[in-house]
Amino acid sequence: MSVVSLLGVKVLNNPAKFGDAYEFEITFECLEQLQKDLEWKLTYVGSATSSEHDQELDSLLVGPIPIGVNKFIFEADAPDLKRIPVSEIIGVTVILLTCSYDNREFVRVGYYVNNEYDSEELNSKPPPKPIMERVRRNILAEKPRVTRFAIKWDSEDSAPAEFPPEQPEADIVEDDGTAYGAEEAELEAALIKEEAALGPEDADEEMAGADDTAGAPDAAAKAEDDEDSDAGSEDLEAESSGSEEDDIEDEEGEGEGDEDMEMGEDGEAKPAAPQEAHNGQSIGEASHGEVMVH
């Protein structure tokens, strides 16, 4: 728990000229009597690509700190133009307001700052060399970025933990690696126990029943095939007898007529080719599906 809590920061002179001083009204609360002072700093970020151009505008020691809510005004000078790259004077940058206790930073407030000319003409066509008398800064005070850090204050009990706290209950929880595959092992053991309880005779009976069940479709398919072949034979015989009668009538007619007419040859009926079922299997064949035991 932090002994000092930042309650609010108010930017007083905003917007302002680039060369004007920064003014902040800072409100914080102190919960315990502190042995040392608080150090407040304001830093101007001169370049987004390198920290070499950062400037500490001002620092202030506040103390002794009474217990309760405290308020004060923090003023800081404008940044030095010589330490800022010319190409980055105009545009958006950042200022950082920080507070430390015993050289340990515990809060940081960041603001975006927009530096631009006071006319649209200069903003649309900025001169090669900035005209600082026409440059104004605008701090986006409505959108600060506040970051807090846990530090050690005066007592050792206030020091943050360097390591994660001990969790004795974590050792009681079963490891996932040990429990992995436990359900599969139990299922396999139950299957082995069930097979042992059935015995070899029961297993043979089950296999025999399975064979009878599998052979039933074959017998039915075979009987159906025989019926189809008998029906085909009857049709062939009927056609054969009909053709013989026609031949006899033709012979009688030919005997009475012209004797020079040639007799026609009797055609032999050929049995029809066995019908093929779909997927290249004959009608009498039956496919047996395999049963998978999980």
Side-chain angles (χ1 to χ4, degrees), residues 44-153:
Y44 184 90
V45 179
S47 175
T49 58
S50 176
S51 60
E52 297 179 356
H53 303 284
D54 293 354
Q55 300 183 42
E56 182 179 317
L57 302 182
D58 204 348
S59 63
L60 177 66
L61 293 175
V62 178
I65 306 297
I67 298 176
V69 178
N70 299 272
K71 182 185 296 185
F72 70 98
I73 303 297
F74 181 29
E75 295 183 2
D77 295 334
D80 186 2
L81 291 175
K82 298 178 181 179
R83 301 177 57 182
I84 304 175
V86 177
S87 60
E88 299 196 35
I89 292 178
I90 305 299
V92 179
T93 185
V94 175
I95 57 173
L96 300 174
L97 178 64
T98 63
C99 187
S100 303
Y101 181 76
D102 196 14
N103 295 323
R104 291 186 290 268
E105 181 181 343
F106 65 90
V107 65
R108 177 185 300 176
V109 183
Y111 294 96
Y112 285 107
V113 181
N114 184 24
N115 298 317
E116 60 182 0
Y117 290 103
D118 56 2
S119 66
E120 292 295 336
E121 182 180 358
L122 292 176
N123 287 325
S124 60
K125 295 180 180 181
K129 184 179 180 179
I131 305 175
M132 301 309 302
E133 294 79 8
R134 305 291 301 273
V135 177
R136 298 179 62 85
R137 69 162 187 260
N138 183 15
I139 302 174
L140 301 182
E142 297 80 8
K143 298 180 179 180
R145 179 70 178 271
V146 182
T147 306
R148 294 177 173 85
F149 308 95
I151 65 169
K152 174 183 175 298
W153 297 89

Side-chain angles (χ1 to χ4, degrees), residues 265-279:
E265 296 179 359
D266 295 335
E268 295 179 0
K270 297 182 181 180
Q275 183 179 359
E276 293 185 358
H278 296 286
N279 301 328

Side-chain angles (χ1 to χ4, degrees), residues 174-204:
E174 186 178 0
D175 189 7
D176 294 340
T178 305
Y180 181 77
E183 296 181 358
E184 289 78 1
E186 292 179 1
L187 180 59
E188 185 177 357
L191 292 175
I192 295 175
K193 185 177 180 181
E194 183 178 356
E195 292 178 356
L198 291 175
E201 295 181 359
D202 297 337
D204 294 341

Side-chain angles (χ1 to χ4, degrees), residues 42 164 200 280:
L42 183 63

